[in-house]
Amino acid sequence: MLKTIHPLIGSELLAILAEMGHGDDLVIADRNFPAESVAAATVTGQCVHLAGVDTTEAARAILTLLPLDSFVDAPVRRMAVVGEPESVLDVHSAMQAVVDAAEGKAVTIEPVERFAFYDAARDAYAVVQTSEARPYGCFIFKKGVIFD
């Protein structure tokens, strides 16, 4: 047991977050995402399962440890709604609030077409799959630098 580490962050996820470097991507996905097959192509080949939590709860915990990249225009990408790429669903608005709160400022979240999102996810460091039931609850976070 460690102090100040959110209880959702188990040893496997903690190791992944610690190993990631500046510019590495972490996928946080919903229950419908092909997490295992996509994770097999990632840097670690790992899919971490966070059962019983949604993507925003997972992100809130992860962002207590993971800084977002301040050197890119959009450090967070989301899967765009098929046929309506600019649509912002409830899950997207909820994630916007989480990342803005974690960073203490407005953070750009960029929509990415579904199949382009899958391709980008395969290039990520690892995948975290949640029990998120809301469709299009899939996000990619780019790790930043700690300046302190």
Side-chain angles (χ1 to χ4, degrees):
M1 193 54 107
L2 301 171
K3 294 171 92 175
T4 72
I5 295 178
H6 194 286
L8 285 180
I9 310 290
S11 59
E12 181 181 28
L13 183 52
L14 183 60
I16 288 168
L17 295 174
E19 292 166 357
M20 289 175 67
H22 174 243
D24 281 338
D25 290 329
L26 181 71
V27 177
I28 302 177
D30 65 25
R31 68 183 182 184
N32 292 308
F33 188 75
E36 289 292 339
S37 61
V38 168
T42 64
V43 172
T44 64
Q46 291 184 276
C47 180
V48 177
H49 295 275
L50 294 181
V53 300
D54 63 24
T55 52
T56 53
E57 191 174 356
R60 193 173 291 109
I62 289 167
L63 291 173
T64 64
L65 301 171
L66 184 83
L68 291 177
D69 195 337
S70 61
F71 296 114
V72 297
D73 292 334
V76 180
R77 292 173 282 168
R78 65 171 172 84
M79 184 183 288
V81 177
V82 174
E84 300 176 36
E86 297 306 317
S87 288
V88 177
L89 304 179
D90 179 54
V91 69
H92 303 144
S93 297
M95 186 62 77
Q96 185 73 63
V98 168
V99 297
D100 289 354
E103 292 295 303
K105 64 180 181 179
V107 174
T108 301
I109 298 180
E110 179 181 65
V112 177
E113 184 274 332
R114 178 181 168 212
F115 292 106
F117 186 95
Y118 292 150
D119 289 341
R122 286 183 190 95
D123 290 334
Y125 197 80
V127 174
V128 174
Q129 186 170 40
T130 69
S131 297
E132 177 65 67
R134 295 172 288 185
Y136 298 99
C138 301
F139 303 87
I140 301 173
F141 292 80
K142 186 169 293 297
K143 186 175 184 181
V145 173
I146 297 171
F147 292 100
D148 302 330

